[in-house]
Amino acid sequence: MVLHHALGRWPEELGFTVPAGWIRTEALHEDDVNRRQFVSATAAALVTGPTSSQHVDPALIDYFEQQLEGHYRADMFLGPHDLIGTVSAQYQLIDKLVRSARGEVRRGLLRAGAAYAALVGWLYQDAGDLAAATFWRGVTQEIAVRSRDPHLIGYSLVNQAHVRTDLGDGHGVIDLCEAVLDGSDRLFPKVRIMAMQQQAHGASLMGDRTSVDQLIDTAAGLLSRVDDDLPWGNACRRTPGYLEVQRATCYGRLGLGREAEALWAQVLDGVPSTARRDRGVYLARRATVAAESRQPDHAVEIARSVVEIAGETRSARMLRELSALERAMGPWHDAPVGRDLAEILAPVTEGS
């Protein structure tokens, strides 16, 4: 510590051998901060019991399901940070009620609880906290199993696969999606579509374009059969061009710039203004494709329209896509167009 205070460098940086078990104080502080953040993120799912017993009216199931649809809509406008606390608190209330409920009311609340846990996991994932997201994906799977609902169990595994996609683990994605699709004839078409499109992302991480197209084409054949009234997992109905969005993303990951650009041009025309966060993510991906196709001016033009959305929603996914754009624009770093991009992105990248 004396050397660090005097010289501003740690002993090992100066060539000294440090004692066994030496840990920098800054690392201890960082670990403590990370631990507190993780405890805060997981607290709503770790309430000790038992709690005091109370009457649980069956109408509460409909109440929570109706609230869920509103949260999905708000997420598209606001991004994750403003909703995490609200949705986590509602999950905590559901967990409390489950402990008093009986029979079908309890099963219904468990199904609602799994959907809420899935949404909390998604919000943390979109906020860039993959540790908290993974925790909540695990909670989703536990509650889905307790509900005995095979459709929810499949949905929970797809959610786990989504995290593995963000971690770049193609094998893990495929393993989880194949587990969902094994004997999947009994599952709702919606769940099968979700598993197939996520498996396509896994295939793209493995460089397998043939499987990407086969999986998305097969999923597309099921879209007309989606007719359930479940309140969760409705992106395939709510998002215009849902499967072509997945294909375009996979093509971008595979380096198929021309094909990806054509798909993004088609998809973005159909994205409504209400899907503000999603539109920002799609535009950022399209800008990266343009840069990789050696169209830097077009990439910068697209990026201009992303920055405002990124600043408002604070979506880590969007910021990650903008970081990918910066890397793709590397060849023009010192050119005027590269400096323009740096200036455009400064409001959302400085201090990040």
Side-chain angles (χ1 to χ4, degrees):
M1 286 300 298
V2 174
L3 285 170
H4 182 260
H5 284 306
L7 302 175
R9 299 178 68 185
W10 294 101
E12 62 269 34
E13 295 171 342
L14 296 168
F16 292 98
T17 300
V18 299
W22 161 263
I23 300 175
R24 296 180 186 177
T25 54
E26 66 176 13
L28 290 171
H29 175 70
E30 183 178 329
D31 287 346
D32 188 48
V33 170
N34 291 339
R35 190 178 301 109
R36 288 200 302 271
Q37 290 175 339
F38 187 73
V39 169
S40 174
T42 60
L46 298 176
V47 176
T48 56
T51 59
S52 57
S53 182
Q54 66 184 104
H55 171 69
V56 183
D57 194 285
L60 285 168
I61 298 170
D62 288 337
Y63 163 76
F64 285 114
E65 289 182 348
Q66 290 167 13
Q67 292 283 308
L68 190 64
E69 180 55 37
H71 292 319
Y72 288 141
R73 290 198 302 271
D75 172 48
M76 295 173 72
F77 282 114
L78 299 172
H81 299 276
D82 293 324
L83 289 176
I84 286 174
T86 299
V87 182
S88 297
Q90 287 196 292
Y91 171 84
Q92 191 173 47
L93 175 56
I94 293 170
D95 179 52
K96 177 175 178 286
L97 295 171
V98 163
R99 300 181 193 202
S100 294
R102 296 291 182 270
E104 284 305 310
V105 176
R106 185 169 181 277
R107 292 275 296 277
L109 284 172
L110 283 168
R111 288 193 292 269
Y116 272 81
L119 178 54
V120 177
W122 158 248
L123 293 171
Y124 275 113
Q125 190 171 345
D126 193 33
D129 189 340
L130 290 185
T134 300
F135 171 86
W136 279 97
R137 298 310 199 187
V139 172
T140 304
Q141 189 172 353
E142 178 205 324
I143 304 302
V145 169
R146 288 169 59 190
S147 77
R148 311 293 202 279
D149 185 322
H151 311 291
L152 261 177
I153 293 170
Y155 178 53
S156 72
L157 290 173
V158 173
N159 284 323
Q160 296 272 30
H162 195 179
V163 174
R164 301 314 300 180
T165 297
D166 277 5
L167 292 171
D169 179 8
H171 285 299
V173 177
I174 293 169
D175 288 341
L176 288 161
C177 292
E178 285 181 343
V180 177
L181 294 168
D182 282 347
S184 65
D185 289 347
R186 67 185 183 279
L187 294 179
F188 287 136
K190 179 171 72 181
V191 179
R192 293 158 64 190
I193 289 170
M194 285 189 289
M196 289 176 187
Q197 63 82 20
Q198 200 62 52
Q199 187 173 341
H201 286 287
S204 72
L205 287 166
M206 304 298 293
D208 184 356
R209 177 186 178 165
T210 299
S211 292
V212 167
D213 286 327
Q214 287 175 345
L215 286 158
I216 292 179
D217 290 346
T218 303
L222 295 173
L223 276 175
S224 63
R225 296 170 54 187
V226 177
D227 60 359
D228 63 84
D229 58 359
L230 298 172
W232 47 264
N234 287 310
C236 63
R237 289 189 283 205
R238 188 171 53 242
T239 305
Y242 172 74
L243 289 173
E244 294 312 303
V245 166
Q246 314 310 320
R247 196 193 305 265
T249 302
C250 289
Y251 280 4
R253 195 178 285 127
L254 288 164
L256 303 172
R258 185 173 61 183
E259 294 94 328
E261 165 62 25
L263 285 171
W264 284 127
Q266 168 192 322
V267 166
L268 282 162
D269 282 344
V271 177
S273 59
T274 52
R276 186 164 174 75
R277 190 271 320 283
D278 288 348
R279 182 174 181 81
V281 171
Y282 303 160
L283 282 167
R285 289 174 181 168
R286 185 183 185 185
T288 299
V289 166
E292 290 173 345
S293 300
R294 306 199 66 77
Q295 301 176 60
D297 293 306
H298 185 38
V300 171
E301 180 185 350
I302 297 169
R304 291 182 192 279
S305 56
V306 180
V307 170
E308 182 180 355
I309 304 173
E312 290 176 357
T313 64
R314 293 174 290 155
S315 165
R317 280 196 313 149
M318 204 179 309
L319 294 176
R320 188 171 64 240
E321 298 295 345
L322 289 174
S323 294
L325 170 60
E326 284 188 295
R327 291 192 296 273
M329 287 286 291
W332 299 277
H333 177 74
D334 295 322
V337 69
R339 292 193 291 271
D340 285 348
L341 179 68
E343 183 178 343
I344 291 165
L345 297 185
V348 294
T349 57
E350 287 179 350
S352 63

